[in-house]
Amino acid sequence: MKKPFSFTVFLLAVMSLASCGVSYNIEGSSDISGLDSRMMYLRTRMNGEYQSIDSTEVVHGKFGFSGSTDSVRIAFIVVNDANVPLPIVLEKGDIMVKLNKARSEWGGTPLNDKLYRFVKSLDSLTVQQQDLEHQYNIAFMDGEDMNEVIPRLSRANQQINMSIDTLVTHSIAENFDNILGPGIFMLVTQAQQIPQMSPWVVEIMSKASDSFKNDPYVKEYLDAANYIQNVQNGLEAAPGATSAPAPEVQPVAPTPNEMAAPAADAKDQAAEEKADAK
């Protein structure tokens, strides 16, 4: 004899599955002595602002987070409100994090492995650009012919810029339909002072999937960038953005490579010192 169908049991089962969300487990270690006994926070962006969803204390170089979220998310491990948080993907599986003096490492799950490779590649290109600045300063101080040095370093810098642009745009495009697409977009654009409809942003949006375009951060960024563009062009603000305060307008929109480009302060200072010596 068949048992009668119980709608209550079915409903409870569905609610149980829905409430589970995405479970994550983060196990971390550190060889930085100054971190012992300090608090770490796991923060993610919700409703337009960053909120702490978990905290832990570093004990004998060990720390950890575990819990669940309603969906796969980009989060940040922050040490006592440090200015350089560690980006991480909250997804199912065991996530390993190592905070070392030289560099940080993380992985163990598919999206975290991909995110780490992206950050590692971007850091490597940034270091190469910083080395170009070092080469410039050495050549300047040694009295080399700057008419030869500058074109050579400019060509090298252009190649690195192209590599950064390619890395950023390809990494976002190949992850349009998972959290890494908008996550990498967020990591890159947050380096800007204000949102900009840069050429690389326009290119990405021209081929982006609906899920990428509908990501809350991406939508918020585009609304603000379009508003600023309208202000620059002397046009009426875009619908839905008229209540936003008018931010300071900058004439040139940075590209991903410009965000990683070395500052010119050291070059200017060296030039002034040489002029004063004369």
Side-chain angles (χ1 to χ4, degrees):
M1 178 179 178
K2 292 184 179 180
K3 294 182 179 181
F5 174 78
S6 173
F7 179 77
T8 301
V9 173
F10 173 76
L11 182 61
L12 290 175
V14 171
M15 292 176 62
S16 175
L17 290 174
S19 64
C20 291
V22 176
S23 298
Y24 60 87
N25 181 52
I26 303 173
E27 297 181 6
S29 63
S30 171
D31 64 359
I32 305 174
S33 59
L35 289 184
D36 268 352
S37 300
R38 297 182 68 181
M39 293 299 296
M40 283 189 171
Y41 302 90
L42 189 63
R43 293 183 175 174
T44 187
R45 197 168 188 273
M46 296 186 294
N47 300 321
E49 61 181 20
Y50 290 96
Q51 303 177 19
S52 295
I53 60 174
D54 201 356
S55 63
T56 188
E57 183 179 2
V58 182
V59 180
H60 302 305
K62 303 292 184 181
F63 61 91
F65 301 96
S66 61
S68 62
T69 65
D70 57 350
S71 61
V72 177
R73 289 178 175 272
I74 291 288
F76 299 88
I77 296 178
V78 182
V79 182
N80 283 6
D81 293 324
N83 293 326
V84 185
L86 181 75
I88 202 166
V89 182
L90 298 182
E91 62 178 329
K92 182 179 179 181
D94 294 326
I95 306 166
M96 307 302 296
V97 176
K98 295 181 180 180
L99 302 180
N100 301 319
K101 294 179 180 179
R103 69 179 182 184
S104 300
E105 302 178 13
W106 68 94
T109 56
L111 294 182
N112 276 297
D113 289 343
K114 294 180 71 174
L115 177 60
Y116 175 71
R117 288 194 296 269
F118 166 78
V119 172
K120 184 178 179 181
S121 297
L122 184 60
D123 285 348
S124 176
L125 292 170
T126 302
V127 169
Q128 292 180 39
Q129 284 197 314
Q130 292 171 345
D131 183 62
L132 292 181
E133 182 179 1
H134 181 63
Q135 293 179 41
Y136 176 94
N137 292 332
I138 291 178
F140 190 88
M141 293 302 181
D142 288 345
E144 296 185 29
D145 186 353
M146 302 308 290
N147 290 327
E148 295 180 359
V149 173
I150 292 177
R152 171 172 57 81
L153 295 182
S154 295
R155 289 192 296 270
N157 187 61
Q158 185 178 15
Q159 289 296 321
I160 298 174
N161 287 342
M162 293 174 60
S163 296
I164 292 176
D165 280 345
T166 299
L167 172 66
V168 170
T169 55
H170 284 190
S171 296
I172 293 174
E174 70 181 8
N175 293 286
F176 275 149
D177 294 321
N178 64 63
I179 195 60
L180 274 192
I184 292 175
F185 183 84
M186 177 174 64
L187 292 177
V188 174
T189 55
Q190 283 186 335
Q192 298 176 337
Q193 293 183 352
I194 59 175
Q196 299 277 340
M197 286 304 294
S198 309
W200 71 273
V201 174
V202 174
E203 178 186 354
I204 286 175
M205 296 310 300
S206 68
K207 54 187 178 183
S209 66
D210 289 339
S211 61
F212 179 85
K213 294 177 180 179
N214 291 326
D215 176 83
Y217 176 83
V218 174
K219 291 180 65 176
E220 179 183 320
Y221 179 92
L222 292 177
D223 286 345
N226 282 319
Y227 173 83
I228 293 168
Q229 182 171 276
N230 286 337
V231 172
Q232 291 174 326
N233 295 334
L235 302 176
E236 184 178 352
T242 54
S243 60
E248 179 184 355
V249 176
Q250 293 190 356
V252 180
T255 63
N257 60 67
E258 289 172 337
M259 298 173 195
D265 294 345
K267 300 177 186 179
D268 296 338
Q269 182 178 357
E272 292 176 1
E273 292 175 353
K274 190 170 183 179
D276 292 340
K278 292 181 178 181

